[in-house]
């Protein structure tokens, strides 16, 4: 039995801010249990839901040499759906109302602490993974520490590591001297061939340099990040590591996201009866959100972190034009104030057409995936994207920009061949986006049979984890040895 440890900063069902949590919560369940013992380690955030905190069981605690003190490391555990979870506790680092804060230096200290604690706790748990699967910059120091101080110890020697890049935009950067002081790593680690990038210490870079393999969450993004536009300054390194870099597209949890059994939606439906049943969810949502109740109106959904990445500049630019069309727009998201206010403004201006819901709600997100006719995701960049996969699963036709995982998972409608699962456009241009939306409107209103066939194909597309989990397993086998 090969032992794998996932180390990450968030994971469903404990704590979630975005797609990373969905991946960490769903992929381990889909790895073949006959050959792999997959466990997950996360921070124990004070802001976790009480019902989840109540499920954690104290294991032990110890003190770890970190940042010139003996830092408290509490260890807790829980089992969910057959997966063993561990948690690192330290209220000084993981207290607060949100998992991530705004003080960049503190974030670095916090996740350096987490990364070192992840390794330090393993002998105490008597769990020696063959491979540690790290996710994003927050766990970038795990491969570094593993290759550095922990190599002196028999327990750690030979443990492999992989880092998956979910988002290259966030790297965890700060002045090298300060980071050296916090992490206790030797000075010679802070050179451009190791942790340093453009005069900063860079935790993600550390992970990419020291991990045995690097993956990202779609084939297209794996290619894109080797270019200047998408590479966020690390394109040179990623090109240099391209032999060890591969894209494995994300899946979603097909049990959690299932229109037939979804407990949040008013009217369950499936690929056979959606023509009749799906619109009942739309009615209910129109009522709930105070929009004009009319099943025939095309309803477009957005569920997203409200950040630059997601292409909201394009939406802002053509919002007035879009609202002249016969559509409704339902938005659920939180994030940058400018986008929160932009949607609030349009909600006020077009109150019977636009509904802006500036908060986080799993329940409403499911209702939107189920009720809308189309889902808009015009991202500037998108490593994979899960929202469009959820939309496909619910027969809600995605309208996306052809980038990253959006390009790999949404097949553009071709009216001549009768193929495609969504609508797309290539350039980051507001009117190109608007043209794609209007093309979708036209098919929706004037060629309903064609539209429904797009929905048929969308619902038939398979983005469960099955295929991608096998790719991870192959990689684990290859790194650990057969
Ligand atoms: P990213 O990880 O970049 O945020 P993804 O598309 O991979 O983008 O994943 C986003 C996940 O977060 C999806 O599961 C989506 O439904 C969820 N999500 C985003 N914003 C909200 C919100 N305000 N309320 C509920 N779920 C949200
Ligand atoms: C990141 C990316 C998103 C991806 C998710 C899970 O947050 O922005 O595209 O789907 O990670 O891999």
């Amino acid at each position: 039995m090969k032992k794998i440890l996932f180390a990450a900063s968030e994971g469903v069902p404990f704590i979630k801010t975005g797609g990373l949590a969905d991946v960490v919560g769903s992929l381990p369940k889909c790895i073949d249990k006959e050959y792999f013992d997959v466990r997950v380690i996360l921070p124990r955030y004070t802001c976790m839901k009480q019902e989840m905190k109540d499920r954690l069981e104290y294991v032990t605690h110890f003190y770890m040499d970190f940042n010139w003190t003996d830092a408290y490391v509490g260890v807790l555990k829980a089992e969910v759906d057959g997966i063993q979870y561990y948690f690192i506790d330290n209220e000084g680092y993981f207290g607060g109302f949100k998992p991530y804060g705004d003080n960049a230096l503190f974030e670095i200290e916090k996740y350096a602490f987490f990364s070192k604690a992840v390794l330090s706790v393993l002998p105490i748990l008597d769990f020696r993974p063959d491979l540690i699967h790290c996710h994003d910059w927050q766990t970038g120091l795990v491969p570094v520490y593993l290759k550095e101080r922990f190599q002196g110890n028999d327990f750690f020697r030979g443990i492999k590591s992989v880092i998956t890049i979910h988002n290259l935009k966030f790297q965890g950067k700060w002045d090298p001297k300060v980071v050296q002081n916090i992490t206790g790593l030797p000075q010679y680690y802070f050179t451009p061939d190791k942790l340093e990038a453009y005069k900063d210490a860079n935790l993600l870079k550390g992970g990419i340099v020291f991990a045995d393999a690097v993956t990202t969450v779609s084939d297209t993004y794996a290619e894109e990040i080797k270019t200047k536009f998408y590479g966020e300054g690390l394109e040179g390194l990623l090109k240099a590591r391209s032999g060890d870099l591969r894209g494995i597209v994300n899946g979603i949890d097909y049990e959690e996201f299932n229109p037939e059994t979804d407990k949040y939606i008013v009217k369950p439906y499936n690929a056979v009866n959606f023509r009749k049943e799906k619109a009942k969810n739309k009615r209910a949502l129109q009522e709930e959100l105070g929009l004009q109740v009319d099943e025939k109106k095309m309803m477009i959904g957005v569920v997203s972190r409200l950040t630059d990445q997601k292409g909201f500049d394009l939406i802002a630019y053509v919002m007035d034009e879009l609202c002249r069309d016969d559509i409704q727009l339902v938005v659920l998201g939180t994030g940058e104030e400018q986008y929160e206010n932009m949607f609030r403004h349009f909600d006020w201006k077009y109150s019977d057409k636009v509904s802006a819901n500036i908060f986080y709600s799993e329940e409403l997100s499911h209702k939107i995936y189920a009720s809308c006719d189309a889902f808009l995701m015009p991202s500037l960049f998108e490593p994979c994207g899960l929202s469009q996969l959820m939309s496909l699963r619910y027969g809600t036709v995605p309208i996306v920009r052809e980038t990253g995982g959006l390009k790999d998972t949404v097949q553009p409608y071709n009216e001549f061949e009768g193929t495609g699962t969504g609508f797309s456009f290539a350039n980051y241009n507001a009117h190109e986006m608007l043209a794609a939306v209007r093309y979708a409107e036209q098919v929706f209103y004037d060629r309903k049979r064609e539209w429904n066939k797009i929905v048929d194909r969308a619902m038939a597309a398979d983005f469960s984890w099955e295929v991608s989990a096998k790719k991870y397993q192959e990689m684990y086998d290859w790194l650990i040895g057969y």
Side-chain angles (χ1 to χ4, degrees), residues 84-97:
Q84 182 68 59
Y85 288 85
Y86 299 111
F87 298 84
I88 299 293
D89 184 25
N90 178 308
E91 283 210 16
Y93 288 124
F94 306 125
F97 299 111

Side-chain angles (χ1 to χ4, degrees), residues 10 17-24 136 164-168 170 216-217 221 250 305 309-310 377 379 381-389 405 465:
E10 55 180 282
T17 72
L20 169 61
D22 289 304
V23 172
V24 171
D136 275 352
T164 295
I165 301 168
H166 295 264
N167 197 332
L168 197 57
F170 305 105
T216 186
V217 287
Y221 195 59
N250 286 332
R305 290 184 295 117
Q309 171 188 344
K310 303 292 177 178
M377 203 165 167
S379 305
F381 70 94
E382 197 60 74
C384 178
L386 300 175
S387 296
Q388 84 281 11
L389 303 183
W465 270 108

Side-chain angles (χ1 to χ4, degrees), residues 290-434:
L291 296 169
Q292 189 190 341
V293 179
D294 179 354
E295 270 180 28
K296 298 215 154 42
K297 282 249 177 306
M298 181 174 180
M299 185 191 266
I300 303 177
V302 171
V303 177
S304 184
R305 290 184 295 117
L306 302 180
T307 76
D308 287 353
Q309 171 188 344
K310 303 292 177 178
F312 294 115
D313 295 333
L314 303 188
I315 299 183
Y317 199 75
V318 293
M319 195 67 178
D320 282 307
E321 280 177 80
L322 188 59
C323 288
R324 260 177 248 136
D325 293 1
D326 193 17
I327 55 131
Q328 294 180 333
L329 186 72
V330 176
V331 179
L332 172 64
T334 61
E336 287 166 32
E337 221 174 280
Q338 51 164 328
Y339 300 123
E340 293 189 344
N341 290 337
M342 184 265 284
F343 284 120
R344 283 192 186 109
H345 167 76
F346 286 111
D347 179 318
W348 165 80
K349 191 166 175 188
Y350 303 101
S351 57
D352 60 336
K353 283 190 154 180
V354 178
S355 168
N357 303 275
I358 309 300
F359 48 81
Y360 184 92
S361 161
E362 222 145 278
E363 176 169 344
L364 185 56
S365 75
H366 282 241
K367 286 180 177 165
I368 293 175
Y369 293 125
S371 309
C372 289
D373 300 293
F375 188 87
L376 183 58
M377 203 165 167
S379 305
L380 173 61
F381 70 94
E382 197 60 74
C384 178
L386 300 175
S387 296
Q388 84 281 11
L389 303 183
M390 293 161 186
S391 301
L392 289 167
R393 173 82 167 140
Y394 283 80
T396 299
V397 175
I399 305 172
V400 303
R401 191 171 91 82
E402 291 155 16
T403 185
L406 297 175
K407 188 170 172 190
D408 295 350
T409 58
V410 177
Q411 193 194 358
Y413 173 55
N414 181 322
E415 60 184 32
F416 304 104
E417 291 172 4
T419 56
T421 55
F423 294 82
S424 67
F425 62 100
N427 295 302
Y428 194 72
N429 173 302
H431 281 97
E432 262 192 51
M433 178 193 76
L434 188 62

Side-chain angles (χ1 to χ4, degrees), residues 55-76:
R55 292 180 68 163
L56 311 190
E57 197 186 311
Y58 171 84
V59 179
T60 182
H61 73 270
F62 62 96
Y63 291 86
M64 178 180 82
D65 173 27
F66 181 74
N67 197 14
W68 304 97
T69 58
D70 265 337
Y72 172 86
V73 183
V75 187
L76 297 96

Side-chain angles (χ1 to χ4, degrees), residues 100-135:
Y100 309 131
D102 300 327
N103 178 340
L105 178 58
F106 184 67
E107 292 299 290
I108 286 182
E109 183 179 329
K110 174 164 136 184
Y111 290 106
F113 167 80
F114 178 66
S115 298
K116 193 171 178 192
V118 163
L119 294 172
S120 306
V121 76
L122 296 175
I124 296 165
L125 292 172
D126 196 22
F127 180 67
R128 183 193 177 279
D130 297 291
L131 183 146
I132 305 181
H133 190 158
C134 306
H135 299 269

